[in-house]
Amino acid sequence: MGETAMVDRSRRGTRQGYHHGDPSSDTTVVTTSASEPIVRVSAFRKTYGRTVAVDGIDLEINRGEIFGLIGPDGAGKSSLMKAVAGVLTYDSGRLDVFGTRVDSEQSAETIKDRIGLMPQGLGLNLYADLSVEENVDFFGQIRLVPNDVLQQRKKRLLEMTRLEKFRDRAMKNLSGGMKQKLGLVCCLIHHPQMVVLDEPTTGVDPVSRRDFWSILAQLLREEQITALVSTAYMDEATRFHHAALLFEGKVLARGEPDEIAALVPGRIVQAKAEPQAEAFARLKESFPQSEAVGPWLRVFVDDADDEQATTAVSSRIEKFKPQEMHVAQPDLEDVFIALLRRRGLTDEEPKQDVVEVAKTFGVPTGDSKRLAGIATEKPLAIEAHDLVRTFGDFKAVDRVNFRVQQGEIFGLLGANGAGKTTVIKMLTGLLPPTAGTGRVAAADMHRAGQAIKERIGYMSQAFSLYQDLTVVENIHLYAGIYGLSRRMARERTDWIIEMAGLAGREYELSGSLPMGVRQRLAIGCALVHRPQVLFLDEPTSGVDPIGRRRLWDIIFDLSRNADVAILVTTHYMSEAEHCDHIAMMYAGRVFADASPSELKADLRKESGQLLEVTTDNPLAALDVMESCGFAGVSLFGKRIHLLAPDPIEAEQRVRNALTDDGIHVLSVSEQPLTMEDVFVNRVLALEKADEAKQ
């Protein structure tokens, strides 16, 4: 892979830069003091036949910390974690856990009683037909936990995870977030010293994700537990004390999140410009790491300070009269992509000309306003009026209303079980509504089922392709289903191959493609008949950051350049920023319907500004701030976040409370609200209201 940029810790209290291995390498290691590591990995290598899964990894995990492995599918995270847990052999290198050299089945057995392992996948360490309580009891018994200890610990963990009132519910009937919390309880029931959690929050809604991290922070604080956690969500890096970025089995960078972010000098510039699509295309020519996020253009400018970055972006799009320009530090996802890009580790970006995208969907290229996605009068593409769907006594969808304009990116957000997929199935004619009406592409959903299907594209939450067919065979299959002529099928196949960046992979089996590439192919197949409306149900779930950005580039192009209306569901709250409009669902109901900026403004008005507090003892500070009644307090790595109606007054209260407890406050700063803040705060308020009614 070439050189590896690293930021490391040692037990000496110095910061020292040195080269690792080849003196010509640009590998940088920054060292600071740390306690005796609980895990040491050196030159670790694991292969499966001819496939190298992990290649020469070195890292250390300190006692009492949350250490994160961050990377896309296939980066080597799971193989390394299973070896640390003592359930997977490896080919070469050295692995020490709790001071024991793990190099045989016998040595692995000596550490397993001190470790709790939670494998990747929703509920894969659980038994579907057993209840919540039966699962916990089973794990306690096989771990030989004495019954009195088991009952006491079970009660505490179920209360902590808010699963106490679901003791009798079968695991298979739990939501994804509840399954993951139950999985955590089961791997904690024997009071391990370290937990190994493989992508515990993938596919989990934002409320459950935040619950999960709060539970880990509490365990870290109260039981000094150590956690090794993997994730594909780059925004979760702020939760880790130390992290390693993995790619293709190697360490791309490691250290504290802030130290990793500092490895790539540059700035993020955000600006508004019209026509947005044309300005975006112009920026892409000079800045490959650019994206359209809602009304904003977001650009990474390499090796620049604030003034240089602003000048570089504004000069490139000067004729579009850029407005509201802001400059910020890049986040970890920006850094990850920049490291890959600088080392030539990313595939060539799929390229589409703005006019060609428009022409292939029949948009008149002379209509500059429509081409820019700013038509003066946009017809409605989707209408939902009082939609209801019940399953027996259970009301999955409860009087849902919303409208989507042609050419709009509309986000339908909600926790697992909120009713999002049921709404989509009713609108697409796959499921009859119990009550209510709807129109899609000017067709009534009750009376024009076939007409609707001919005018829409639908990409389901589950993988919607045939994995034993090649790329071209999948496209031809969908072309046949929609009745395209041979000539049109050939034209559409060529367009999809180019749009999805599949040149050279036409005859590969779709099941062998990386997840991000597969999803681009799935979108292409949903677009084969040039629909007016596109439904995308969790299109980026499990996709790496580069793949997610490319998918959103495609979605943006279809909206702005081809005037396709797009309804998308997602669990990534950062992706909600890409939507022009959002409807949030809870328990089958829509409780918010506005643009992302309006929703954040409403939260700021209701609950205040987001403050970030940095101290010399974050775990103790978290206890103090919770006991003082601060709203929305949560731990993000070594920092604490809270909401404050009066930031100045709140900062003084924070400083006074922590100083009185002997905790040194390093900084208190205001941070921008995110869509995750909006979603979590609104859903928690609804949950409290429902509990008050019971």
Side-chain angles (χ1 to χ4, degrees):
M1 186 176 103
E3 55 282 72
T4 303
M6 296 182 291
V7 181
D8 238 352
R9 327 299 292 173
S10 81
R11 284 164 293 161
R12 299 187 300 273
T14 60
R15 293 178 66 86
Q16 175 184 358
Y18 64 93
H19 291 291
H20 188 71
D22 182 357
S24 65
S25 167
D26 69 354
T27 298
T28 303
V29 180
V30 182
T31 61
T32 61
S33 62
S35 60
E36 184 69 22
I38 199 170
V39 176
R40 275 188 172 144
V41 180
S42 178
F44 181 93
R45 182 179 172 87
K46 174 64 182 177
T47 62
Y48 299 93
R50 295 182 179 179
T51 302
V52 179
V54 187
D55 189 10
I57 281 183
D58 303 308
L59 57 85
E60 295 181 351
I61 302 172
N62 296 319
R63 189 178 304 276
E65 74 172 352
I66 302 177
F67 191 100
L69 297 178
I70 308 172
D73 289 346
K77 306 187 299 295
S78 295
S79 296
L80 178 58
M81 298 181 88
K82 288 175 182 176
V84 170
V87 298
L88 183 71
T89 61
Y90 55 98
D91 299 295
S92 60
R94 173 172 170 172
L95 173 61
D96 296 311
V97 183
F98 300 117
T100 298
R101 179 71 49 80
V102 182
D103 56 5
S104 66
E105 186 175 345
Q106 183 177 4
S107 61
E109 287 299 320
T110 65
I111 65 167
K112 287 182 181 177
D113 64 333
R114 302 161 76 181
I115 293 175
L117 172 64
M118 186 172 164
Q120 184 178 347
L122 295 176
L124 286 188
N125 62 329
L126 305 173
Y127 292 87
D129 292 320
L130 296 184
S131 68
V132 168
E133 185 162 28
E134 288 168 339
N135 266 287
V136 179
D137 287 342
F138 175 76
F139 277 86
Q141 289 161 9
I142 64 172
R143 288 291 194 169
L144 303 180
V145 179
N147 188 60
D148 57 337
V149 176
L150 172 60
Q151 298 307 317
Q152 182 181 10
R153 189 153 178 80
K154 174 174 62 177
K155 184 176 186 299
R156 178 174 180 270
L157 290 172
L158 290 179
E159 288 175 349
M160 185 187 299
T161 54
R162 299 194 293 169
L163 291 173
E164 177 69 25
K165 61 182 179 182
F166 303 104
R167 281 175 177 251
D168 298 327
R169 182 175 295 185
M171 185 281 275
K172 63 185 177 185
N173 295 328
L174 298 176
S175 70
M178 293 168 73
K179 287 176 183 176
Q180 293 302 78
K181 287 191 283 188
L182 176 58
L184 181 62
V185 169
C186 289
C187 78
L188 288 169
I189 195 65
H190 63 295
H191 208 306
Q193 296 177 34
M194 178 171 69
V195 290
V196 178
L197 311 174
D198 195 359
E199 297 205 10
T201 58
T202 294
V204 173
D205 65 88
V207 176
S208 295
R209 279 177 65 194
R210 192 165 289 197
D211 271 354
F212 202 94
W213 288 111
S214 295
I215 293 162
L216 270 186
Q218 187 173 343
L219 290 166
L220 186 74
R221 173 163 94 235
E222 296 177 0
E223 301 182 4
Q224 290 75 53
I225 199 168
T226 302
L228 173 60
V229 186
S230 68
T231 182
Y233 294 87
M234 290 287 162
D235 62 329
E236 290 190 336
T238 56
R239 308 278 189 174
F240 302 133
H241 297 92
H242 296 93
L245 302 185
L246 303 186
F247 185 76
E248 293 184 349
K250 292 181 180 288
V251 174
L252 192 67
R254 66 172 177 251
E256 293 185 9
D258 285 348
E259 293 171 330
I260 295 174
L263 290 172
V264 179
R267 292 292 188 275
I268 293 293
V269 178
Q270 292 192 114
K272 292 181 179 180
E274 293 293 349
Q276 186 186 21
E278 293 179 16
F280 179 53
R282 179 65 61 87
L283 286 170
K284 273 280 192 181
E285 294 172 359
S286 301
F287 307 103
Q289 205 166 319
S290 301
E291 58 180 336
V293 182
W296 295 93
L297 298 170
R298 190 174 184 275
V299 186
F300 181 89
V301 184
D302 291 276
D303 304 312
D305 58 25
D306 290 5
E307 184 178 352
Q308 292 168 336
T310 303
T311 301
V313 172
S314 59
S315 63
R316 187 61 185 163
I317 56 172
E318 187 175 4
K319 76 171 189 175
F320 301 103
K321 297 182 174 61
Q323 305 168 17
E324 298 185 51
M325 298 190 74
H326 304 288
V327 185
Q329 295 286 344
D331 59 30
L332 199 64
E333 183 170 301
D334 299 313
V335 170
F336 181 78
I337 294 172
L339 286 171
L340 295 179
R341 175 172 52 81
R342 289 181 175 198
R343 296 174 190 182
L345 297 173
T346 59
D347 295 330
E348 187 68 25
E349 288 267 3
K351 295 176 181 176
Q352 282 279 313
D353 182 81
V354 170
V355 173
E356 288 303 312
V357 172
K359 282 169 63 179
T360 196
F361 271 79
V363 178
T365 56
D367 188 347
S368 60
K369 284 191 175 181
R370 192 175 184 194
L371 186 63
I374 53 171
T376 53
E377 291 185 11
K378 290 189 176 183
L380 290 176
I382 305 172
E383 299 176 74
H385 298 289
D386 290 333
L387 282 181
V388 176
R389 175 65 201 198
T390 59
F391 297 93
D393 295 331
F394 175 65
K395 187 174 284 187
V397 175
D398 186 6
R399 297 177 66 85
V400 162
N401 295 275
F402 60 81
R403 304 194 303 174
V404 182
Q405 292 183 331
Q406 199 66 47
E408 184 176 41
I409 302 173
F410 187 90
L412 194 58
L413 308 182
N416 288 317
K420 306 184 302 295
T421 300
T422 304
V423 168
I424 289 178
K425 287 182 176 179
M426 286 190 287
L427 290 170
T428 54
L430 296 175
L431 190 67
T434 304
T437 61
R439 294 180 67 83
V440 178
D444 187 292
M445 58 181 275
H446 283 291
R447 297 186 293 273
Q450 188 57 40
I452 285 178
K453 290 172 185 176
E454 291 173 354
R455 299 173 192 175
I456 69 169
Y458 176 44
M459 181 177 158
S460 65
Q461 187 171 351
F463 183 50
S464 56
L465 302 176
Y466 291 88
Q467 300 196 40
D468 54 351
L469 296 183
T470 66
V471 168
V472 169
E473 287 170 341
N474 266 291
I475 298 171
H476 287 172
L477 174 64
Y478 276 81
I481 290 172
Y482 285 107
L484 271 63
S485 67
R486 288 188 178 182
R487 181 183 63 81
M488 183 59 71
R490 285 195 300 271
E491 290 179 4
R492 298 302 293 161
T493 298
D494 293 342
W495 180 81
I496 291 169
I497 294 297
E498 183 182 1
M499 178 274 296
L502 288 164
R505 290 181 143 167
E506 294 92 333
Y507 301 102
E508 292 183 27
L509 293 178
S510 63
S512 68
L513 298 172
M515 178 63 80
V517 179
R518 272 187 273 171
Q519 295 297 75
R520 295 204 298 267
L521 172 59
I523 289 180
C525 289
L527 293 169
V528 71
H529 58 303
R530 297 195 294 192
Q532 299 168 246
V533 179
L534 181 61
F535 291 88
L536 303 174
D537 197 3
E538 301 282 353
T540 60
S541 182
V543 178
D544 65 272
I546 294 175
R548 290 204 303 273
R549 289 199 178 188
R550 289 184 179 173
L551 280 169
W552 278 103
D553 280 352
I554 292 170
I555 292 169
F556 174 80
D557 275 347
L558 292 168
S559 166
R560 300 305 194 263
N561 301 328
D563 211 35
V564 177
I566 299 166
L567 188 152
V568 60
T569 70
T570 179
H571 271 141
Y572 295 86
M573 287 297 107
S574 60
E575 290 186 347
E577 307 279 359
H578 291 261
C579 300
D580 302 309
H581 206 92
I582 287 171
M584 291 186 171
M585 292 188 67
Y586 170 78
R589 307 186 304 272
V590 170
F591 66 85
D593 187 351
S595 69
S597 59
E598 289 169 337
L599 290 169
K600 286 186 280 189
D602 288 344
L603 177 62
R604 190 177 296 109
K605 184 177 180 181
E606 294 169 7
S607 302
Q609 180 62 44
L610 182 68
L611 291 186
E612 183 176 83
V613 181
T614 308
T615 75
D616 61 346
N617 192 342
L619 293 176
L622 186 67
D623 273 340
V624 172
M625 292 169 67
E626 285 178 341
S627 65
C628 289
F630 286 100
V633 178
S634 56
L635 185 68
F636 282 72
K638 295 185 176 182
R639 295 176 175 83
I640 297 168
H641 284 186
L642 69 147
L643 289 171
D646 184 342
I648 297 175
E649 185 268 343
E651 177 177 351
Q652 192 59 53
R653 281 183 59 208
V654 166
R655 291 184 179 277
N656 291 341
L658 296 182
T659 302
D660 289 346
D661 243 78
I663 299 169
H664 181 52
V665 179
L666 302 176
S667 67
V668 179
S669 60
E670 294 187 12
Q671 298 294 323
L673 286 168
T674 66
M675 284 307 301
E676 180 169 321
D677 295 315
V678 173
F679 185 87
V680 170
N681 278 276
R682 295 295 296 270
V683 169
L684 290 178
L686 289 168
E687 288 181 352
K688 289 180 181 178
D690 284 351
E691 289 174 4
K693 293 176 184 177
Q694 296 174 0

